[in-house]
Structures are given as C-alpha cells and as structure tokens.
Amino acid sequence: MTEKRGIRPEDLYKLKSVTDPRLSPNGKNLVYVETQISKEKNDYSSNLYFINLDQKVPVAWTFGDKKNHSPRWSPSGDELVFVSNRSGKNQLYKLHLNGGEAKPLTELENGASKPVWSKDGKKIAFSVALKPEEKLGEKQEDEEKKKDEKDKELKPLEVAEMKYKSDASGFLDGKQSQVAILDLETGEITQLTEGVHSHNAEDWSPDGKQLLISSNQDEEKDFSFNLDLYIYNLETSDKKALTEGKKGMFYGASWSPDGKYIAFLGNEREYENATLSKVWLYDVEQNSSKCVTADWDVAVGDFVAADFQQGAVGPGLIWTEDSKGFFLQISHQGSTQIVHYSLNGERASLTPGNEHVYGFTVNAAGTLGVAAVSEPAHPGDLYQLDIKTGHREQLTAVNQEFLAEVELAAAESFVYKGAEGWDVQGWIMKPFGFKEGEKYPLILEIHGGPHAMYANTFFHEFQVLTAQGYVVLFANPRGSHGYGQQFVNAVRGDYGGNDYNDLMAAVDYALETFDFIDSERLGVTGGSYGGFMTNWIVGHTNRFKAAVTQRSISNWISFYGVSDIGYYFTEWQIQADLTDIEKLWKHSPLAYTDKMETPLLILHSEKDYRCPIEQAEQLFIALKRQKKTTKFIRFPESNHELSRSGKPNLRMKRLEAIRDWFAEYV
C-alpha cells in the first residue's frame, strides 16, 4: 500500500467540485455541475453531468473547457435549459433527456443568464444586461462597434454617483439587469422590464399569467440598500408591490403550487448588514404578508467562509407539490442544514448538523432529496437522501483517486468561553504525520466578513498548512453568523474590541487544552476582515512569531472613500464617518504600526475594489519606514476573490507565499 502524502497548493489542479444538483420533478433523474481547473489554460471549466437514480452512473452531458452551468429542468422533466459561454458570451441552451446536441436558445448581443421556466414549460424568463436606453435585440454595426470600442479606450470616466465601481465588475458601465421572456414555441423574445432600475425574475405563478420580480426602485441609489418584490401581470403589464412599506432586502420568492402563497426570504435591516434573514409568507387572497420565523434565531441561507467550491448555489425555498410546506437552508453552530418548514409552524431538520450542505434539491412530492455535502476532510460529493427515514446514499465520488493518495486532516470542534463569558465555537486541526508527545507550531486563521462563518467544511488553505506540519486553529468570534442575532451584531462599533478578545481566548484555550502545541511558535493569518484583525493583532500583542495579512483593511479613514462599499460599510461597522476622524483612526491598525514587531507578509490584489490596494501600500510603507520586518506581494489582474476564484496560477503563488513566510519565521 502506497504511503499517503500531505496536500500541496498545486493539488487544486487535481480536485473537482460538484455543485448545483437539480432533481427532475419526478425524482428519477439528476443533473449537476462538475468544475475543475486547467493548469495549461490557467482557468476553470464546468460541465453538466447526469445521473439516472435507478442506475446511479454519472454520465457527462456537456464536454470541453468552457463554462456550462445553471441547469434547470422543464416542468415535464424531459428537457433542461442551461447557461454556457461556448459561443464567447453566456447564452441559454436546451438539452433533451434523450440526448443529442445542445440547442442554442439565445444569441443576444449582451448574453443571457438566470433562466426560470414557466409552470407549463412553454416559456422561460431570463436576465439580460442592458443600458437604460438600450433595447433587446438592437445590434451595432461591426464598424460602428469597433469605433465605439476604440473610442472607449480614450474616454475619461465621468462619475456622478457614489456607487460607480464594484469589486466583481470593476467600473460600472451603466447596464442594469432586465427581465426578458422566451417563447419556446415561436422562438420570440420579449423584453419585459427596462430603464435605470435593475430587475430579476424570481418565479412564475402556477397559471403562467404573473411573474415574481425583484427590484430596487428607489430613485436615490447611493444610500439605498433595499430590494423589493413585485408581482408583474403579464396580461395587463401592471406591477404590484409585494413588500411595500417594508424597507429592507427581500429575495428568493417562490410561489406555492396551489397559487395561494408566496414564500420569500429577507429582513428589514434592523441591524444593517448584520441582520438575520427570515422567512416571510404572503397570502395572495388576503394581500398580506408576515414573517413566519420571527421567533427563530438562526440565519437562513449559507454563510460559510471557504475556498474550494465553485458555483455553489443554495436551494432557496422549495415547495412540496401539496403546498403544505417547503424546504430551506440554514447556517447554525458552524454547520449548514436543510430544514422542512410546514405551514402549521412545525420545523424539522433533515440533515445532521455536523457538515456543510452547500446545495440541495428535492422532488415534487418532497420524499426524495439530493444534497451536496462537504466536511473538513472531504471536499464534497452528492448524496441521495430519503427524507422520511433520513437514510442517505453516496452518488458521486469525484475525488476518489486523489483522496486515495493524500491524507487530509479532520477538524475537532470545541466550545470555549470568550469575552464577557460568551460561548464561542472553535476548531483544531492536527498536522500531517501527527505523533503523540511531539510539539507543533500553530497557525490561527481568521475569516472575513465579518458576518460569515467558519464551518465543518473542506478548506484547501487549512489542509496545505496542516500538511506543512502546523496545527490549524480557527474560530467564530462575535460578528460571525450561526449563533443568533445578538452574536452577529455584537462586532459593530467594537472592531478590535471583544472580537479580538474572543480570538485571543481561542488561542489561550488551545494552549491550555492541547498539549501538542508549541506555545513559542504561533502564527496568524486572515483575509478581508480577517486581514484587518491580523493587522490589529500584531499591533496589540507580540505573542505571534509571524503573520500574513491578506486583502486587508489598515486605515478606516481612507477606506471610507476608496472601497466600493467604504462609505456605508464604515458607517455600519465602525459607526463613524469622516466627521469623527478620531474614532476611525482609533480603530485603524495603521495607528499602531509603532507597536508592530511581528514579521508581517502583506498580500493584496491589484484590482481589489472591496479593500483597495492602497490599504496594503500604507501599511507596508509605514512598517518599512520604521525598519520593521515586512514584505509586500501584489497580485496582478486579481480582485478581492483571489483566494476563492482567482486565476489558478496566482492562487498557487498566494498559497506558496503563505507557506514560505511561516516556514521562515514561525
């Protein structure tokens, strides 16, 4: 038997992720997306796979190095629509259950995405990006288009709004998402919405005469963070507000099969972006809605912070065909679970709660499900679930060969006392080749957000560190999701306060509890908020031998004006603006560089608009001016998502830099 090895950064090229499982309505067939990375092309490719649940043999339905994703079954279950960039832009394609070539459904200048079938299977609503004055189907002449592209390079960018850039999209081009409808019988495409506001299709009414649409119709966009739901009457073009008077974020709307109810997710932003999303129910006949999970102190949705799954899609709200209840996903106590909610108020968990369920689908009867599940020592696979008995059966084993050659570290969960005596959850991972009686260095990992959650899931970076002989410690300090509204809100206005104390208590607990940790060899790293906290830590304690700060915040004063979210995020989280420079500076790690003695590696992406690279530049120059031990690595053509979905070769370079810095200084 070949001896197993530890995982390496470049193993990302060998690993595959399986996401977005979709059961046909009768529950007999399954389609899902498998994604892998090409080292030669330095890019990701995704393809659709099919499983007949009687035969349980995965079969590739699309091929090649393009991105094929978002498969959606027709109501009859004999066809599916999906999105592919095989023509150069995302367009809609259709496949038949009996096989054959994929048929293109759209060939639009600006592409197409987010398909939603009508309940009779005759139409598909979808999204297309258009400028306010642009109409669907209009095409520029080739010469005119070339001239426009050339001129575009020379034009200055005129900015009149505060929301003019996005980490995901760069400088915004004025395009908004609009809803169009494709008639499958005639091939005719009708543009349903237009203008300066963005719209997205959510779901069709059972009779096909109405469409649920989400949109922010506020005229003042810079200080508007609302998303409302509307019922669009396709026969009269009338639009009725579903969430009128409820200022907040509402989304994920799903019509009950009997047409009597609309279930949706959302919140009224009582705690700004730290507000837990709830489930709401709209009574169509009574024209009234209510929050049906007001007494349930959990986060509805998947808030797990991880670095592996590509294109993971949550299940939303899935009604059973009898309209008596629906399935949904929650983040709770470091795990995600699928729960069934009955209209009589009963709730039942269908999954055990010690894992990350990052995708889920169910048949129309609500008796059979398929879950995409990951654990710390398992990247993820699909499992068939008998909803009545809870019995599950593994359907895929996409990384079987790879897992046979590597040894992955499990994560042991524990609960310790943080600041103010609060219970805080943490995890410890032992190093590769662990031997009783030996001492090992420890790396503390800190997640971003801060409103996210470390969980019982696979994390490639953690496995790379354990393979290098480190103990990995991670925890969910206050501000994290998964532990109720008070817990997730507690960090606001207290950055560097009790969140810092929670993390230091995790280190203290680990040193007291696990005798295999070398207390003299500690390292710390984190990204985004975790990068802020890494900076804060090395400015307030010298207990760590080395630190790596990633895509971090160092100066809240400048962050206010340079981040794509700076002006409002700073006000929400630090609870100060430029009229209170003293408070912003008090919470800025840059103010404490004179106290930073820990060797600090600074990693940042050139095109990070969420935490712009000037945050790293300031920190690096301040430390170098004081002759501190530091190094700055800039990643070209990369944004805030480098560690999760960035260019594969740069993801490798990033992991190697972290590995080598700790090897040198811890």
Side-chain angles (χ1 to χ4, degrees), residues 591-659:
Y592 307 96
T593 55
D594 61 321
K595 298 180 175 64
M596 294 183 184
E597 303 297 335
T598 306
L600 181 64
L601 175 63
I602 303 169
L603 306 180
H604 221 103
S605 295
E606 296 279 4
K607 292 188 176 181
D608 189 334
Y609 289 167
R610 184 58 40 84
C611 297
I613 199 165
E614 59 90 34
Q615 294 285 307
E617 292 171 330
Q618 294 182 71
L619 182 60
F620 174 69
I621 293 300
L623 290 172
K624 288 298 287 187
R625 181 65 183 85
Q626 298 173 63
K627 301 190 183 303
K628 304 296 179 70
T629 302
T630 185
K631 184 163 73 171
F632 183 19
I633 301 179
R634 305 169 67 116
F635 294 87
E637 301 300 318
S638 302
N639 66 5
H640 201 64
E641 295 298 304
L642 169 65
S643 67
R644 298 177 278 261
S645 59
K647 282 293 182 182
N649 67 318
L650 295 179
R651 290 180 68 181
M652 303 305 131
K653 295 295 184 185
R654 171 188 160 273
L655 287 168
E656 290 165 359
I658 296 170
R659 177 197 67 194

Side-chain angles (χ1 to χ4, degrees), residues 257-297:
D258 63 9
K260 293 182 178 179
Y261 299 100
I262 297 170
F264 57 94
L265 304 175
N267 63 72
E268 295 179 283
R269 299 189 65 84
E270 300 96 321
Y271 306 93
E272 296 298 356
N273 63 327
T275 312
L276 298 185
S277 285
K278 302 287 187 180
V279 181
W280 300 71
L281 197 64
Y282 174 79
D283 188 311
V284 175
E285 291 183 0
Q286 299 297 320
N287 188 28
S288 63
S289 63
K290 64 177 180 178
C291 178
V292 296
T293 59
D295 62 337
W296 199 19
D297 198 19

Side-chain angles (χ1 to χ4, degrees), residues 19-187:
T19 58
D20 202 7
R22 299 279 167 169
L23 271 172
S24 59
N26 63 8
K28 293 182 178 181
N29 299 303
L30 175 76
V31 65
Y32 62 94
V33 181
E34 183 176 302
T35 303
Q36 59 189 59
I37 301 174
S38 167
K39 185 175 184 179
E40 291 72 25
K41 292 185 176 293
N42 194 32
D43 204 356
Y44 305 82
S45 65
S46 55
N47 282 294
L48 307 186
Y49 279 74
F50 168 84
I51 297 179
N52 176 282
L53 292 185
D54 290 330
Q55 300 171 353
K56 296 185 171 58
V57 179
V59 178
W61 261 15
T62 65
F63 305 86
D65 57 8
K66 302 301 183 182
K67 295 181 175 69
N68 302 283
H69 57 91
S70 305
R72 301 294 182 263
W73 287 103
S74 65
S76 63
D78 59 356
E79 292 180 315
L80 62 83
V81 64
F82 67 99
V83 179
S84 176
N85 69 348
R86 61 184 63 186
S87 67
K89 293 180 181 177
N90 279 335
Q91 302 287 359
L92 303 187
Y93 292 80
K94 186 174 70 170
L95 271 170
H96 196 278
L97 183 63
N98 294 332
E101 288 291 320
K103 176 186 176 182
L105 296 177
T106 62
E107 295 178 353
L108 298 173
E109 184 79 7
N110 295 346
S113 62
K114 302 178 183 176
V116 184
W117 286 89
S118 63
K119 303 301 167 66
D120 61 7
K122 294 181 179 180
K123 296 179 180 179
I124 296 174
F126 64 94
S127 294
V128 60
L130 297 169
K131 290 186 177 180
E133 69 281 2
E134 190 178 4
K135 300 298 182 183
L136 191 64
E138 290 181 350
K139 286 191 176 183
Q140 294 176 306
E141 294 298 325
D142 289 343
E143 289 303 315
E144 182 185 347
K145 184 177 178 182
K146 289 176 182 177
K147 183 178 182 297
D148 286 348
E149 289 176 350
K150 185 177 180 181
D151 289 347
K152 186 178 180 181
E153 296 174 9
L154 304 175
K155 290 179 181 178
L157 177 69
E158 296 182 14
V159 175
E161 297 177 342
M162 297 169 80
K163 291 180 181 175
Y164 70 92
K165 60 183 178 180
S166 156
D167 183 65
S169 306
F171 293 121
L172 303 181
D173 59 7
K175 291 179 180 177
Q176 301 289 343
S177 176
Q178 302 298 349
V179 178
I181 295 178
L182 166 66
D183 187 313
L184 290 168
E185 292 181 350
T186 66

Side-chain angles (χ1 to χ4, degrees), residues 190-249:
T190 305
Q191 184 178 335
L192 196 66
T193 63
E194 60 182 16
V196 298
H197 302 294
S198 184
H199 302 79
N200 280 293
E202 298 275 341
D203 196 16
W204 292 77
S205 63
D207 61 10
K209 296 179 180 179
Q210 300 176 96
L211 191 65
L212 284 167
I213 291 175
S214 57
S215 178
N216 180 352
Q217 295 286 306
D218 294 346
E219 294 302 321
E220 172 55 77
K221 288 289 195 300
D222 284 338
F223 292 96
S224 172
F225 306 96
N226 301 315
L227 186 65
D228 284 306
L229 294 170
Y230 298 86
I231 300 175
Y232 194 104
N233 189 308
L234 298 174
E235 295 179 335
T236 65
S237 297
D238 291 334
K239 191 169 61 176
K240 176 183 177 182
L242 192 69
T243 53
E244 193 171 23
K246 294 180 174 60
K247 286 295 181 181
M249 294 284 295

Side-chain angles (χ1 to χ4, degrees), residues 279-344:
V279 181
W280 300 71
L281 197 64
Y282 174 79
D283 188 311
V284 175
E285 291 183 0
Q286 299 297 320
N287 188 28
S288 63
S289 63
K290 64 177 180 178
C291 178
V292 296
T293 59
D295 62 337
W296 199 19
D297 198 19
V298 302
V300 177
D302 183 355
F303 295 96
V304 171
D307 67 350
F308 175 65
Q309 302 298 343
Q310 297 293 324
V313 178
L317 299 168
I318 307 174
W319 284 91
T320 51
E321 61 186 358
D322 60 9
S323 297
K324 292 183 178 180
F326 45 81
F327 301 90
L328 58 107
Q329 184 182 33
I330 64 169
S331 294
H332 184 58
Q333 304 273 324
S335 290
T336 57
Q337 296 172 259
I338 299 300
V339 174
H340 181 261
Y341 178 87
S342 298
L343 295 191
N344 62 13

